Amino acid sequence: MSQQTPAAPADDSTVATVAQHRDWWRDAVIYQVYPRSFADSNGDGMGDLEGVRSRLPYLRDLGVDAVWLSPFYASPQADAGYDVADYRAVDPMFGNLLDADALIRDAHELSLRVIVDLVPNHSSDQHEWFKRALAEGPGSPLRERYHFRPGKGENGELPPNDWESIFGGPAWTRVEDGEWYLHLFAPEQPDFNWEHPAVGDEFRSILRFWLDMGVDGFRIDVAHGLVKADGLPDLGSHDQLKLLGNDVMPFFDQDGVHAIYRQWRVVLDEYAGERIFVAEAWTPTVERTANYVRPDELHQAFNFQYLGTEWDAKELRTVIDRTLEAMRPVGAPATWVLSNHDVTRHATRFANPPGLGTQIRTAGDRELGLRRARAATLLMLALPGSAYVYQGEELGLPDVVDLPDEVRQDPAFFRGAGQDGFRDGCRVPIPWTRAGSSYGFGSGGSWLPQPSTWAELSVEAQTGVPGSTLELYRSALSARRSQPDLGAGDAVEWLRAPEGVLAFRRGEFVCVANTTGESVTIPSHGRVLLSSGEVTEADGEAKLPADTTVWWTTA
């Protein structure tokens, strides 16, 4: 697949525009853009790179340090672009390489860094390698770049082992010549065989291609999945999905992945400007996550243990302590996250008791979820390290839980097993204006329908409105930049607090989060910087409403 080539690779002066903050990634706030749902420049109902480029000033004004772009590569879109057919081309639905180049350059001029998604565990079944592997048949060299195997049973009619797809059903598909190929996700996403040297060679070349374009880093999809256990042994469990993220599995979190990332780090360190790697690594413990961010490997790893924690003071303190303790020996920053494109938005998640998932029953539930989400955001941004913000959470967007079946596109939904299949709910295009066919997303509607209630959640409706969620985020990110005790670090000093309340000090900064359903009275800690709800003070005491976080400074 060929496209127009950018005029020239980004030179060091371009990178230097955003390179003034050394070790920037240790305290960075990074904003995830899901391109198909962010902004549509041409009215086709699908977001694109030019749309993202047009909204970069909004992200600068929000106060984030970098933008992470979910995949925009050439793809049949069987899994929203995580099935890549050409890693060096932009899918026409998003634009072309010139658009990518312009976006990177504009971001740098606005002092925003750009991180792009990389999908090394699997390709699309329309990737040239895989198409040739099918055509050339059993025993061909191209098949060795994937996991092709004969089946079990008298006539090879059974899969080679008992592994299940993350999206449900067997992790193997049989082709016409009788062999089977491995796909830990959809059948359209065959897994690469990372034991083959050509795979490593190819991805080091892909890294250099995008680094030469000027990107500031890579978020590595399924970073824990590249290496499979020798012999592809049976797992022996009939409920494999419950083991995900809870146990070491023969296809996830194998120790061999770390040799790959040490090789990649050598490539990255050839480039100026402090480029970084971010791992999507689902591991059983934060201690195993820390293995990915040792000094000669990756820079950050998403803290999924934190993301999966309920709005509960005791549970939150446990995961915060374990995270900081695990990261300290390897010298890596903790990386906090509350939402992304694969999970229920936390404004919805926190609205329900554990186990209810995306069920929103009343307006009161929605209000509770938003109140807790705002408080959780201030808690997250007060913790030592880096933080990630998923597009639309700064607007307080909930999941859209009532999408008609006919508009859904999540492949897990159609397989009827595996993941819950409702990731479309957190991927609905975000609202920019009160009016219009898609609330300012684009002139031609949106690829997933938006609720009418989103008019008042739009950027336009919240801008300049005291107490709005958008202004809370802007104020929090501004305060985070201005307060010397916020951002990078590896420890907090816990303070005495009532049950259900978290309180900690970082230098002259104090954060208190009330996770209970009742107001609490605590000692004041100086001057209030910011709070997620209305805090009243008198006679040296402060009254915090239910589900509220407050920031103080003693300076």
Side-chain angles (χ1 to χ4, degrees), residues 201-488:
D201 290 344
E202 171 69 355
F203 273 90
R204 287 190 294 274
S205 174
I206 292 167
L207 291 175
R208 288 190 171 94
F209 178 88
W210 288 103
L211 289 166
D212 288 341
M213 284 272 288
V215 302
D216 300 282
F218 301 88
R219 177 265 191 186
I220 304 168
D221 184 63
V222 196
H224 54 297
L226 278 57
V227 172
K228 279 66 174 175
D230 289 344
L232 309 185
D234 283 344
L235 187 54
S237 170
H238 298 291
D239 201 359
Q240 296 180 17
L241 291 171
K242 287 187 176 179
L243 300 178
L244 293 176
N246 297 310
D247 200 359
V248 177
M249 306 176 77
F251 47 78
F252 279 164
D253 198 27
Q254 295 291 303
D255 290 338
V257 299
H258 300 291
I260 296 169
Y261 298 136
R262 286 191 287 272
Q263 294 174 354
W264 285 16
R265 183 61 178 267
V266 172
V267 174
L268 196 76
D269 288 346
E270 295 172 2
Y271 289 80
E274 291 192 296
R275 322 291 178 100
I276 70 166
F277 287 124
V278 184
E280 182 208 29
W282 290 87
T283 66
T285 65
V286 290
E287 289 79 12
R288 286 198 66 87
T289 300
N291 291 336
Y292 290 80
V293 289
R294 289 175 287 201
D296 61 344
E297 294 187 42
L298 311 179
H299 297 77
Q300 295 182 342
F302 291 132
N303 191 339
F304 291 117
Q305 284 79 14
Y306 185 77
L307 184 150
T309 302
E310 301 291 339
W311 181 238
D312 176 87
K314 184 178 180 180
E315 292 184 21
L316 287 164
R317 177 166 175 172
T318 296
V319 73
I320 291 167
D321 282 340
R322 287 192 64 182
T323 299
L324 295 175
E325 289 168 6
M327 296 300 154
R328 199 173 294 123
V330 296
T335 304
W336 313 100
V337 61
L338 290 168
S339 287
N340 65 32
H341 65 291
D342 279 333
V343 301
T344 302
R345 287 184 178 273
H346 58 286
T348 295
R349 202 167 67 243
F350 289 154
N352 300 310
L356 281 185
T358 59
Q359 297 178 36
I360 295 289
R361 294 157 294 173
T362 67
D365 287 341
R366 287 191 290 272
E367 293 171 3
L368 174 63
L370 179 57
R371 186 167 70 246
R372 289 176 171 175
R374 288 162 55 94
T377 294
L378 287 194
L379 173 62
M380 176 183 75
L381 293 175
L383 294 171
S386 178
Y388 279 75
V389 172
Y390 177 50
Q391 67 174 46
E393 72 171 77
E394 77 277 16
L395 305 177
L397 297 186
D399 262 38
V400 180
V401 299
D402 54 356
L403 290 171
D405 289 356
E406 59 268 21
V407 305
R408 293 190 178 276
Q409 299 193 24
D410 185 350
F413 178 81
F414 299 100
R415 300 200 80 185
Q419 295 183 3
D420 63 16
F422 290 90
R423 294 179 299 172
D424 294 314
C426 67
R427 300 175 176 182
V428 174
I430 67 174
W432 294 93
T433 61
R434 283 191 174 95
S437 64
S438 60
Y439 305 109
F441 170 69
S443 61
S446 63
W447 66 282
L448 286 173
Q450 302 152 301
S452 59
T453 55
W454 280 20
E456 294 309 310
L457 295 177
S458 65
V459 173
E460 179 186 26
Q462 295 194 48
T463 295
V465 177
S468 72
T469 301
L470 176 57
E471 294 302 336
L472 177 71
Y473 269 75
R474 287 173 171 163
S475 297
L477 294 175
S478 176
R480 182 180 161 101
R481 285 178 182 265
S482 64
Q483 291 297 310
D485 293 314
L486 284 177

Side-chain angles (χ1 to χ4, degrees), residues 173-192:
T173 290
R174 198 177 192 187
V175 300
E176 290 185 0
D177 55 45
E179 285 199 329
W180 298 73
Y181 69 87
L182 176 68
H183 52 87
L184 292 181
F185 295 88
E188 297 89 349
Q189 296 169 290
D191 279 44
F192 284 116

Side-chain angles (χ1 to χ4, degrees), residues 70-81:
S70 292
F72 50 80
Y73 309 111
S75 166
Q77 303 295 319
D79 184 22

